[in-house]
Amino acid sequence: MPNVNINPDDVMIKLRGLKKIFGSQDVLLDVNLDIRRGETMVIIGQSGSGKSVILKHMIGLLQPDEGEVAVDGITISTPKYFDARTIRRKMGMLFQMGALFDSMDTGENIAFALREHHPELTEAQVQKVVTDKLKLINLVPEFRVKMPSELSGGMRKRVALARAIALSPEILLYDEPTTGLDPITSDVINDLILDMQSKLGVTSVVVTHDMVSAFKVADRIAMLYKGRIIEVGTVEEIKNTANPFVRQFITGQRKITSEEE
Amino acid sequence: MSWWRYPIEGIGKILISGISNIGEIVCILIRTIKCIPYVHKNVGLIVKQMVSIGVSSIPLLFVTSIFTGMVATVQAEFQFRDLVADKFVGTAACKMILIELGPILTALVLAGRVGSALAAEIGSMREKEELDAYTVLGLDTYRYLALPRFVAFITMVPCLTVISNCLALIGGWIVCVLALDITSYTYYTGMQYLFQPMDLWAGVIKSFVFGVIIFVLGYYHGIKAGAGARGVGVATMNVVVSSCLMILIADFALAAVLFK
C-alpha cells in the first residue's frame, strides 16, 4: 500500500540528466528521477542495465560524466563537493553480497563505524546499540560473536542491514537485497525493508529485478531501460501500464508481443 | 589514415598508461602518509598486521637465511682457498650478507610471501565490495586498511632483515665449523675485520625502502585487481614481478647513493 504520509514535493534524492559511460559502454544516458522523503522507491531493470550504478551515484561512490545528483538539497555530484562523508552519514547501504568485513565478527561489523564516528560512546553504550540493531533485524544478541564465514546468505544480508542502520541513517539504499536467496528468506528481507520504513521512517531506494519483492516493498517503482527511466508509478500504475517494455519486464516475457507493440 | 600512425599511437598509449600508473602509485603513498597522525588510534590494527607480516614470516626467513649464509660462506671459502687467510672467509661472508644478501633476499622473499598476500587480500575485498562498504560507512580506507599495513611493512621489513642477517651469519658459522675446518674464533675475528657500522645501517636503510616498495605495489595491484579469481591471480603475479624488479633497481640506486 502506498505510504499516505509522503509529501510529493519533499524530494530527498534528485537525479537530473545523469550520464555515465564506462569505456565504450554507455550505461546511463539521461536519468531523471525524484525520490521523495520517507518513500520506498524500487528501481527495476534488466541485469547489467545500470541500476546499481545509479545507486552508487546516489551515495557518491561514482561521479557522473554529466548531470546532477542532489541529496537532501545538497549537490554531491560536482567536483566542488569534497565533504562526501557528511552526506554519507545520512545514508546506509546494503550491498548485494552483504560486503561484511570478513576479519571481524558480527558485533564488530556493526560496532566498527559507530566507535569511529562516536568516540564519546562508552563500550556499554556501543554494545547496547549492537544489541538493539540485532533485535531490529530479528536476531538474538548471541549472534554478535559469529564470524561472517559462519553465516548463510540471508543472515549475512540481515547483519549487513544491521550494520547499515547502526549510524541511524535517514536514507537506506538496497542493492539487489533478495538476489541469491530462496523465496522464504527473500520474504524475510522484504519484511525487514518494510520494518525499516515503518520503525525508522527512512527513505529507501531498492534496486532489484525480483518483481515479487518490488511489488511488496515499493511505494513507487521506476523502470530503467537503455540508460533512461522510462516509467515511474505506484505498484498499481506499473501493474496496469501500457508501456510494452515495462509490461514485458514485469511479466517476464522474452519478447514483446505484437499486441503490445 | 597513414600506417605509421599506429606504432606512434601505441607508444603514446603505453607512455600515458605508464605515467598514469606512476601517478596513482604516488597518490596511494601520499594518501597513506597523510594518515600517519592517526597511527596512535590504529595500534590494534597495526599490531595485527605486524604479526601477520613480520612474525609469521620468520619460519620461512629462518630457512632461507640459514642456507643463504651457508652458501655464501662455502663460496667465499672456495674462491679464496689457497689465496688468502681463512679469516677473510668471515670478512667476505659478513660484508656480503649485511650489505647485499640479507636485505635483498629478505625483500624478495617478503615480496613473494606478504606482497602477494596483500594484493590478494585487497583485491578480494574490492571484489566483495568491502572497500566500498568502508567508504559508505564514512571510513577512510587509507586510514583503516592502508596505514596499518604501511606501518607494519616499514617497521617489520627492516626488523626481519636484521634477523635474517643474524641467521645468515649463524649459517656461515655452522658451515665453517662443521665443513670447512675454520674455527669459530677465526670466523668471528674475520667478521669483525673491516666491519663498519655503515654496512649494517646501509642494509637497514635499504630494507626500509624495500618495505615501502612492497607495500605500495601490493596495495596498488590489489585495488586495481580485475574481477574474479583470475583478476586476483593476475594481481598477485603482477605484485611479485613488479616488486622484485623495483627492489633490484632501488638496490642499485641506493648502493650508488650510500656507498659513493
Side-chain angles (χ1 to χ4, degrees), chain A residues 56 59 61 85 88 91 93 95-96 99-104 112-113 116-117 163 167, chain B residues 41-42 45 48 124-125 128-140 143-144:
Chain A
K56 287 184 177 177
I59 203 161
L61 285 174
R85 274 182 283 182
R88 282 186 193 133
M91 305 171 93
M93 182 164 174
F95 289 88
Q96 198 169 343
L100 294 176
F101 305 136
D102 279 345
S103 56
M104 302 176 199
F112 190 54
E116 301 304 323
H117 292 306
R163 184 180 68 182
L167 293 170
Chain B
K41 290 185 177 177
N42 289 27
L45 293 170
K48 203 172 162 185
S124 165
M125 290 174 85
K128 290 192 283 184
E129 297 183 305
E130 279 186 53
L131 299 185
D132 283 346
Y134 272 95
T135 309
V136 163
L137 289 167
L139 304 168
D140 182 1
R143 181 179 153 186
Y144 294 98

Side-chain angles (χ1 to χ4, degrees), chain A residues 101-200:
Chain A
F101 305 136
D102 279 345
S103 56
M104 302 176 199
D105 63 26
T106 298
E108 281 296 305
N109 260 284
I110 300 168
F112 190 54
L114 198 63
R115 283 202 192 98
E116 301 304 323
H117 292 306
H118 297 284
E120 73 281 3
L121 292 180
T122 63
E123 190 53 30
Q125 288 171 315
V126 170
Q127 292 308 322
K128 185 177 179 310
V129 173
V130 172
T131 307
D132 290 346
K133 301 305 176 191
L134 282 172
K135 278 182 187 164
L136 212 57
I137 55 158
N138 305 324
L139 288 177
V140 290
E142 287 69 32
F143 237 85
R144 71 178 70 204
V145 294
K146 294 255 187 195
M147 294 302 286
S149 55
E150 298 174 80
L151 304 176
S152 65
M155 290 292 183
R156 287 176 76 92
K157 291 204 177 177
R158 286 161 76 175
V159 174
L161 182 55
R163 184 180 68 182
I165 59 174
L167 293 170
S168 305
E170 295 170 37
I171 303 165
L172 271 174
L173 309 179
Y174 301 85
D175 189 3
E176 309 268 10
T178 57
T179 298
L181 303 179
D182 64 82
I184 295 167
T185 311
S186 295
D187 203 46
V188 172
I189 299 290
N190 292 337
D191 286 340
L192 284 172
I193 295 172
L194 292 170
D195 277 356
M196 293 305 120
Q197 194 193 20
S198 61
K199 291 179 184 169
L200 306 176

